[in-house]
Every structure is written in C-alpha cells, then in structure tokens.
Amino acid sequence: MDIKTTSPIDKESIQSISKLFKVISDPTRLSILFLLQQKECSVGNIAISLDMEQSAISHQLKTLKDARLVKSRREGKSMLYSLDDLHVFSILEQVLTHVNELEK
C-alpha cells in the first residue's frame, strides 16, 4: 500500500510564510515595526530612535516595504513611514506573549 503524506498547505503558501518570517526575524526590522506601531515616522526619526545611520534604516525600510509590511507617503520633502496593515502585528504580539510565557 502506498501512503502519501500531504501538507494541508500548498508549497507556494509555505514559501510565502517562510519569507515573511525571514523578513521579521531581523532585529533592526523588528525594532522598526514596533516603533511604527506607535506612530508614523520619517527615516531620520527612526534613525535617531534606533541610534543608527539613515542609510541603514533606508535599506531596512526598503526590505519591509517590498514585503508589504510598511508603506510610505510624502509630506513636503519628507517620506513618512507607517505599518501597511495590522495583520503582521497580531502575529508579533502573539510571539511576544509566547516569549514572555517562556521567561516565567
């Protein structure tokens, strides 16, 4: 008898989920997401808050934007960044809850 095991999720979805977790696994990108949850920020404000160079923040914002986790809008000469949607943040809050439970 041939027994085939199949995943209830297709391979393409598995790849997409894996890519998302790779993007949010970086400490700098994670810090940016938590900062943007509180308020919309410019690259300069994010750089000051995280004590990093603006060029490094811009690079990380591009990665987050490509993953559709953040969006930008122009205000005068500045670009302001905010979360694209709150779905990913509900995941992060669950992970944070889990981590806090493990530390007890």
Side-chain angles (χ1 to χ4, degrees), residues 43-55:
V43 174
N45 287 341
I46 296 169
I48 290 167
S49 295
L50 301 182
D51 193 28
M52 294 179 67
E53 296 292 324
Q54 284 190 14
S55 60

Side-chain angles (χ1 to χ4, degrees), residues 22-33 36 43 46 50 52-67 69-70 81:
K22 285 179 185 175
V23 169
I24 63 176
S25 69
D26 179 84
T28 300
R29 290 191 290 263
L30 200 51
S31 296
I32 292 170
L33 290 173
L36 293 179
V43 174
I46 296 169
L50 301 182
M52 294 179 67
E53 296 292 324
Q54 284 190 14
S55 60
I57 296 299
S58 292
H59 175 75
Q60 298 302 339
L61 283 168
K62 181 183 180 337
T63 300
L64 290 168
K65 207 170 168 187
D66 290 347
L69 297 175
V70 300
Y81 293 86

